[in-house]
Each structure stands twice: as C-alpha cells, then as structure tokens.
C-alpha cells in the first residue's frame, strides 16, 4: 500500500489521498481531510486477505514460477513462444530475486527490473556489435557480406537501441501473464504487472523496412539468372509470393491447386528443427494466387522433388549454399532471405495494389500492420490526384461502366 499523498483541490482545500486494495483485490482510492485520518484508515486495511490470499502462506517467486511453467508452458504454445516466455522468466527471477515472497513484490520492483534490463541488454549488445564491426574493419580482404554489414552500421546501432526496449517489453508481458496465474492460485492479491507500462522504442527509430534491403525488379532478374537450375524455382517462389521462410518450408504438394493456379498456406516448418506448427496468426492461413509461368516451373520442380515437402531444405544450408552464393554470382549486395518478402510487398504496393489485398497476401493480422511496416512504399507510390480519379470513376459508372 502506498503512503497518503497530499492533494490540493481547485478551491485551494488540502486533502490526503490513499490508494489501497479492497477485499476483492481491486485497487481503490479515497480522500481524507487529514493525513492522520488517512493513516488510521490504512491501519485497518488487510491486503493480505484480499482475493483469497492466505496470510500465513509466503510463496516465493521461484516456487510460483515453477508452478506456472508446469501449468502454462506445458502444452498449447508454439515452441518460439515457450522460448520467449522462459527467457523473460529467467530475467524476472534474476532481477527480482528467487527467494522473495510474491506478495511482497510491488509495481516499483517491476519498474526497477524493467529499467535495469533495458540498460543491461543495450550494454551487452553494444559491446558485441563493437567487436564485430572492429573485426570487419580490420579484415584485409573484406567479403561482400562484410561490406554489406559495415554499410548497415547506423541501422545496426539503431537495432541495438531497440534491443533492450524489446526485451523489457517482452518481460513485462510475461510478468502480466505470470501474475494473473499467481492471483488465480492465491499467491498474490492482485496483478501488480498491470500497473507497469511496457517501454517503447524512440519514435526517431524507424520500425519500417530499410530501402537498402529491397531489391529492384532488375536485381531480382539478375539473382534468378545467376541461380542454378535446381535453385531457380525456390528463389522465384520467395519473391513472387512473399511467404515467410518457415511457410515456404512447410508447403506440401497437396497444398497446391495447379488448375486454379493457387496454393494454401496452412502450416510452417522450423528451418532448424523441422517442427511443424500452425501459421503465425489466424490470418496466416490463406490462399495465394500464382502466376502461370511459376506454376509451370513448379511442375518441373516436382519431377526433381518426389518427397512430401515441396522445398526440402533447412535454413542453414539454404542460406550458406544457395542464397549467399547466388547473391555473390549476381554481383548484388547481401540481403536477408526475409528481405525477399519485404521486396515482394514493396513492389506490390508500388504497382498499385491496395493495402487490404497486400495485407491478406502477406498474412498480416490486419491492414494496420501492413501500413506500419510498408508506410515508405505507400508514401513513395505515384498515384493520380484523388479528385480526378473519383470524377473518372463516377463518369464511367454513370455511362454504364
């Protein structure tokens, strides 16, 4: 419970405000004419009895966290979500202290842990990035990939700034779920994490796609021409569909309807473990139309790939044996595999596609995500004045289309 706070009303009168936990676990606020009256009331409140908390039971953070892991992380979550939760949980336990009683922890403790984590992660990543950049700058014969990394130095520094903020935001999100569980088990009176804000990255740091990561149509043509015959299909597929790499690996031949020239995304496969999971979001399950020449190429690819999966590769081999060597042969800068998705979306937008259609094709949860990530592409797209476009549309419709 917080100490009484002095409040000056608009008419100049002084009151003392007190926040406290009610018997049902809700946070309440009440004003008193004097500080003594507020303190006397505070002495009568027993927050330990709220929300069914046993006053004699002092469950530690370690005990509660282990119970939550056994209950919450046991089933029904994606492996990547479990990994993120466990990392955030380790950070929480380290910063707050395993031996501390859950009911003794306060929002101030969580805020302190949040701020400390932002600083720690930023320092760690800054040190690692400095070592990497120093090694690349000292290289006698820098590779194309090294030069591309050095050219992205400012972008990488911005990512370091965001790294600590992102880690702290995930930790607070984990804490909210964790304390909700604590309340249900009677370990805590209320969800203290609900009072703690997630940190946000500075607005000066762009969260969109960097233009240097987008390949132009002529660069895509060079890349495809430089690919080996057996690799050309997978590279074209990435750029023409904009699917995530995990979705690409998850395609099976029964997902294709060649007669209708389309494919359905309904699973993804880990490029490291081979684990099959559902798409990232509900909107991730979607049909994607395919150009006719890609369908022809897929049919030829099927003759070389008799197995169940359309693209039976793993992430490491694809990156080191197909993607990077093809970029070098094409004489192009180094870009990530995921940048094929960004390129596909940016070129779609540049060609005049509307945001809803692009959002559905990419499998975004809603068009706002597409607008946020690809705002630069929409801003740069040439378009006719809206008034002229509207007048032309009305004239066409009035004259029977």
């Amino acid at each position: 419970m917080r100490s009484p706070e002095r409040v000056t009303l608009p008419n100049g009168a002084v009151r003392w405000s007190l926040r406290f936990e009610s018997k049902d676990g809700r946070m309440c606020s009440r004003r008193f004419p004097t500080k003594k009256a507020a303190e006397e009331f505070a002495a009568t409140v027993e927050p330990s009895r709220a929300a069914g908390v046993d006053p004699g039971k002092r469950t530690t953070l370690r005990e509660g966290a282990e119970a939550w892991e056994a209950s919450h992380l046991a089933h029904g979550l994606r492996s990547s979500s479990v990994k993120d939760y466990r990392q955030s949980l380790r950070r929480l336990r380290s910063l707050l202290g395993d031996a501390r009683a859950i009911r003794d922890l306060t929002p101030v403790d969580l805020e302190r842990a949040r701020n400390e984590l932002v600083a720690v992660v930023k320092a760690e990543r800054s040190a690692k990035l400095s070592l990497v950049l120093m090694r690349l700058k000292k290289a006698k014969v820098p590779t194309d990939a090294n030069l591309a990394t050095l050219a992205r130095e400012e972008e990488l520094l911005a990512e370091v700034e965001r790294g600590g903020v992102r880690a702290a935001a995930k930790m607070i999100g984990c804490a909210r779920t964790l304390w909700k569980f604590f309340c249900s088990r009677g370990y805590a009176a209320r969800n203290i994490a609900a009072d703690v804000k997630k940190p946000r990255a500075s607005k000066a740091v762009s969260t969109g796609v960097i233009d240097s990561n987008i390949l132009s149509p002529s660069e895509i043509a060079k890349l495809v021409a430089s690919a080996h015959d057996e690799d050309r299909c997978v590279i074209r597929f990435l750029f023409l569909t904009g699917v995530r790499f995990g979705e690409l690996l998850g395609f099976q031949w029964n997902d294709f309807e060649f007669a209708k020239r389309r494919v359905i995304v309904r699973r993804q496969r880990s490029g490291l473990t081979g684990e099959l999971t559902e798409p990232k979001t509900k909107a991730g399950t979607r049909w994607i139309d395919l150009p006719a020449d890609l369908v022809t190429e897929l049919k030829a690819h099927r003759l070389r790939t008799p197995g169940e999966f359309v693209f039976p590769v793993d992430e490491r081999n694809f990156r080191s044996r197909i993607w990077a060597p093809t970029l070098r042969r094409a004489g192009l800068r180094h870009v990530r595999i995921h940048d094929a998705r960004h390129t596909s979306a940016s070129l779609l937008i540049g060609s005049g596609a509307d945001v809803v259609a692009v959002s559905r094709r990419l499998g975004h949860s809603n068009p706002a995500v597409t607008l946020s990530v690809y705002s630069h592409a929409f801003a740069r797209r040439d378009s006719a004045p809206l008034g002229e476009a509207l007048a032309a549309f009305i004239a066409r419709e009035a004259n029977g289309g």
Side-chain angles (χ1 to χ4, degrees):
M1 182 185 304
R2 299 180 180 178
S3 301
E5 296 180 354
R6 181 188 175 100
V7 177
T8 303
L9 301 181
N11 61 3
V14 175
R15 295 290 184 269
W16 292 87
S17 178
L18 179 70
R19 292 191 68 197
F20 60 94
E21 296 170 3
S22 65
K23 290 185 178 181
D24 60 1
R26 293 181 296 107
M27 284 303 296
C28 302
S29 179
R30 184 171 171 181
R31 288 178 178 174
F32 299 86
T34 63
K35 183 177 181 180
K36 183 178 179 181
E39 290 174 343
E40 287 176 351
F41 176 82
T44 66
V45 178
E46 298 180 64
S48 61
R49 296 184 186 274
V53 177
D54 182 358
K57 188 175 182 180
R58 298 181 63 82
T59 305
T60 64
L61 181 59
R62 178 183 62 79
E63 294 168 339
E66 289 175 352
W68 179 73
E69 278 195 86
S71 171
H72 187 73
L73 304 185
H75 57 84
L77 290 177
R78 298 158 57 90
S79 57
S80 57
S81 299
V82 172
K83 179 182 176 182
D84 286 345
Y85 270 130
R86 284 186 171 148
Q87 183 182 46
S88 294
L89 189 59
R90 283 195 299 271
R91 287 168 168 166
L92 269 173
R93 292 173 62 176
S94 173
L95 294 168
L96 295 177
D98 258 353
R100 294 191 64 181
I102 293 171
R103 55 185 252 197
D104 291 342
L105 293 168
T106 67
V108 175
D109 294 319
L110 273 180
E111 288 170 354
R112 189 179 298 115
R114 175 199 64 192
N115 298 340
E116 186 176 344
L117 182 62
V118 171
V120 168
V121 172
K122 179 181 175 181
E124 289 177 353
R125 295 192 178 186
S126 294
K128 288 181 181 178
L129 179 61
S130 297
L131 289 174
V132 170
L133 294 176
M134 187 182 301
R135 187 180 73 249
L136 296 181
K137 290 175 181 177
K138 289 183 177 180
K140 294 182 179 179
V141 184
T143 64
D144 293 341
N146 291 352
L147 292 173
T149 301
L150 290 173
R152 295 174 57 231
E153 183 173 352
E154 290 187 9
E155 177 190 343
L156 294 173
L157 289 171
E159 277 296 311
V160 166
E161 289 286 335
R162 295 180 59 207
V165 172
R166 192 183 297 115
K170 284 185 177 181
M171 187 182 73
I172 296 303
C174 173
R176 290 175 182 175
T177 305
L178 182 64
W179 253 265
K180 184 178 179 181
F181 172 80
F182 289 166
C183 293
S184 70
R185 290 293 178 92
Y187 301 157
R190 65 185 183 89
N191 191 339
I192 62 171
D195 295 337
V196 180
K197 289 184 178 181
K198 289 184 180 181
R200 291 186 178 182
S202 170
K203 292 183 179 179
V205 179
S206 172
T207 59
V209 178
I210 307 301
D211 279 349
S212 61
N213 295 349
I214 305 300
L215 296 183
S216 66
S218 61
E219 288 174 327
I220 296 173
K222 284 183 182 178
L223 185 65
V224 172
S226 301
H228 295 308
D229 291 343
E230 63 272 18
D231 302 328
R232 194 166 290 125
C233 182
V234 64
I235 291 176
R236 291 196 72 224
F237 194 95
L238 280 169
F239 283 100
L240 290 173
T241 63
V243 295
R244 301 175 178 93
F245 191 68
E247 294 170 343
L248 175 93
L249 299 185
F251 282 126
Q252 298 177 359
W253 287 113
N254 58 9
D255 296 327
F256 287 82
E257 290 188 1
F258 288 128
K260 295 183 177 180
R261 297 195 311 209
R262 64 178 187 173
V263 62
I264 187 172
V265 181
R266 52 186 167 192
R267 75 183 71 80
Q268 57 184 17
R269 181 162 60 96
S270 170
L272 301 178
T273 65
E275 178 187 9
L276 292 174
T277 57
E278 293 181 355
K280 190 174 181 181
T281 63
K282 290 183 179 179
T285 302
R286 63 201 187 275
W287 286 100
I288 296 177
D289 63 277
L290 305 171
D293 62 333
L294 182 59
V295 170
T296 302
E297 200 164 354
L298 281 164
K299 290 178 179 178
H301 177 71
R302 187 172 189 176
L303 299 176
R304 299 190 298 264
T305 316
E308 180 182 16
F309 291 100
V310 180
F311 302 108
V313 296
D314 65 63
E315 188 173 347
R316 290 192 184 97
N317 282 336
F318 183 83
R319 187 188 299 115
S320 61
R321 297 184 181 181
I322 298 176
W323 186 255
T326 307
L327 283 169
R328 285 197 296 270
R329 287 195 298 272
L332 300 175
R333 63 193 179 283
H334 179 75
V335 293
R336 304 167 304 164
I337 300 170
H338 195 70
D339 290 326
R341 174 175 168 84
H342 292 324
T343 297
S344 178
S346 296
L347 295 181
L348 268 175
I349 294 165
S351 69
D354 68 90
V355 63
V356 176
V358 175
S359 179
R360 287 174 180 167
R361 188 175 182 85
L362 295 177
H364 285 163
S365 55
N366 61 70
V369 177
T370 313
L371 282 169
S372 173
V373 176
Y374 299 103
S375 58
H376 70 296
F378 282 102
R380 194 170 52 241
R381 184 170 72 185
D382 293 331
S383 59
L386 294 181
E388 293 291 341
L390 179 59
F393 173 77
I394 292 174
R396 284 198 307 271
E397 292 299 309
N399 295 322

